[in-house]
Amino acid sequence: MVIVMGQEATGGDVASIVAVVRAAGVEAFVSRGVTRTIVGLVGDVTQLDAANLRGMPGVREVMRVSTPYKLVSRENHPERSTVRVGGVPIGPGTVTLIAGPCAVETPEQTLQAARMAQAAGATLLRGGAYKPRTSPYAFQGLGEKGLRILADVREETGLPIVTEVVDARDVELVASYADMLQVGTRNAQNFALLQAVGAAGRPVMLKRGMNATIEEWLMAAEYVAQRGNLDVVLCERGIRTFETATRNTLDISAVPVAQRLSHLPVIVDPSHSGGRRDLVLPLTRAALAVGADGVIIDVHPHPEQALCDGPQALVDTDLGELAQVMRDLPPLLGKSAAAPAALI
Ligand code: PEP
Ligand code: MN
């Protein structure tokens, strides 16, 4: 919403507007021009009455600026959403831990990683069967064989599975195994894929493009929603910056910003953000503290042998601390850890 003040408006008029707006929990930014002053509002403006604002002294015009994304916007959907994946909630009130190997390599490795995930409190299993690798010479994943391994491990552990799909032509196949479809950072603006997952009848986890603005990320989510699928979880996984000490720069502010702009749940991937094992726990704490609805974390029984992203995978000796974070932090934030699907 934008409020345009008339030339005659006094400093006191502008201050009164700002006070009313802030009292409704909305941020007000005042831009003073030569001939007029504009007050731009950022946040959930549903509690503000445009007609009342129009009647205040000095106001010339009140304009609603509609966002380029509608279905995922919080403007017409003020309540934050909960997405259920095989019975496990991701949304306000809970903090969900999704964990597992970066890539499915063997049945043994996947089962061991799933047990590690469970020991740390995970209620959903991650694991890639189709890997979008930057190098064409790197391990590309086991494909359908990997999906079958995931399905067996789900059977064994009871953990619903989250797995990536990289090609619109594979969506139906991947959806026939997966409880949640992941769209990765490299495909975050692959609109054909976004539309295909939108029509697949499964919840979707949409990673933020490594060079996408928050608005572009939400417009990508809108592509999925437009095909009738509102079960979308946004995942902040770090963006490209000039910094080289970390794999990506975790944009921690993106969590509350996206939660204010959109009703969709927002989770964080501290593994792919930092790209370093020693940063995963600190970034997990930061994600929970800033209000993330969950985290997705790489674990591996033998990261030195991993075919993908070994240096960022947590190992056995990290699990106690991860479990402690997942147990102790949510209650301090007025949330609970998401219960396993079997208990719901
Ligand atoms: C992944 O989660 O396995 C992955 C490839 O992540 P991203 O798309 O964020 O790089
Ligand atoms: Mn990875």
Side-chain angles (χ1 to χ4, degrees), residues 102 126 131-132 164 182 184-186 207 237 269 272:
C102 175
R126 65 148 290 147
K131 296 305 302 174
E164 180 160 359
Q182 174 174 332
T185 193
R186 294 162 189 79
K207 296 247 186 147
R237 49 79 68 202
D269 182 338
H272 288 82

Side-chain angles (χ1 to χ4, degrees), residues 112-318:
Q112 276 179 287
R115 296 280 186 222
M116 291 171 70
Q118 257 177 334
T123 47
L124 296 170
L125 173 66
R126 65 148 290 147
Y130 294 84
K131 296 305 302 174
R133 305 306 297 280
T134 303
S135 163
Y137 300 109
F139 175 59
Q140 305 285 313
L142 298 180
E144 189 172 2
K145 187 169 162 225
L147 295 175
R148 280 198 295 269
I149 293 173
L150 284 170
D152 289 345
V153 172
R154 171 176 53 202
E155 188 76 16
E156 186 87 13
T157 60
L159 292 173
I161 53 190
V162 181
T163 195
E164 180 160 359
V165 57
V166 299
D167 189 317
R169 290 168 296 188
D170 297 329
V171 167
E172 212 177 311
L173 174 73
V174 179
S176 71
Y177 289 91
D179 297 284
M180 177 179 233
L181 298 171
Q182 174 174 332
V183 175
T185 193
R186 294 162 189 79
N187 269 315
Q189 286 189 308
N190 178 339
F191 302 118
L193 179 62
L194 294 171
Q195 288 172 334
V197 297
R202 288 273 181 272
V204 173
M205 190 225 292
L206 176 62
K207 296 247 186 147
R208 178 178 179 186
M210 64 182 87
N211 54 8
T213 63
I214 293 171
E215 185 170 85
E216 286 164 343
W217 185 22
L218 296 177
M219 286 193 279
E222 187 79 7
Y223 270 90
V224 181
Q226 228 190 21
R227 291 290 154 129
N229 188 353
L230 270 178
D231 286 335
V232 181
V233 172
L234 301 168
C235 179
E236 161 61 38
R237 49 79 68 202
I239 51 175
R240 276 272 164 95
T241 67
F242 52 80
E243 183 54 71
T244 54
T246 45
R247 183 174 177 183
N248 294 285
T249 298
L250 175 59
D251 181 6
I252 201 74
S253 354
V255 176
V257 171
Q259 286 174 338
R260 265 168 220 174
L261 294 172
S262 170
H263 58 88
L264 300 178
V266 182
I267 67 169
V268 166
D269 182 338
S271 306
H272 288 82
S273 303
R276 289 170 34 179
R277 181 172 306 124
D278 64 327
L279 296 181
V280 173
L281 284 160
L283 296 183
T284 299
R285 289 193 197 91
L288 267 50
V290 84
D293 301 305
V295 281
I296 176 164
I297 292 181
D298 286 8
V299 297
H300 199 290
H302 304 290
E304 67 291 349
Q305 295 165 18
L307 298 177
C308 186
D309 290 348
Q312 69 194 30
L314 293 189
V315 295
D316 264 327
T317 49
D318 300 315

Side-chain angles (χ1 to χ4, degrees), residues 9-46:
T10 63
D13 293 340
V14 175
S16 309
I17 290 280
V18 169
V20 167
V21 164
R22 294 214 171 124
V26 174
E27 197 45 75
F29 296 94
V30 179
S31 315
R32 286 197 172 79
V34 181
T35 55
R36 58 185 193 167
T37 295
I38 288 176
V39 185
L41 311 192
V42 177
D44 179 7
V45 295
T46 47

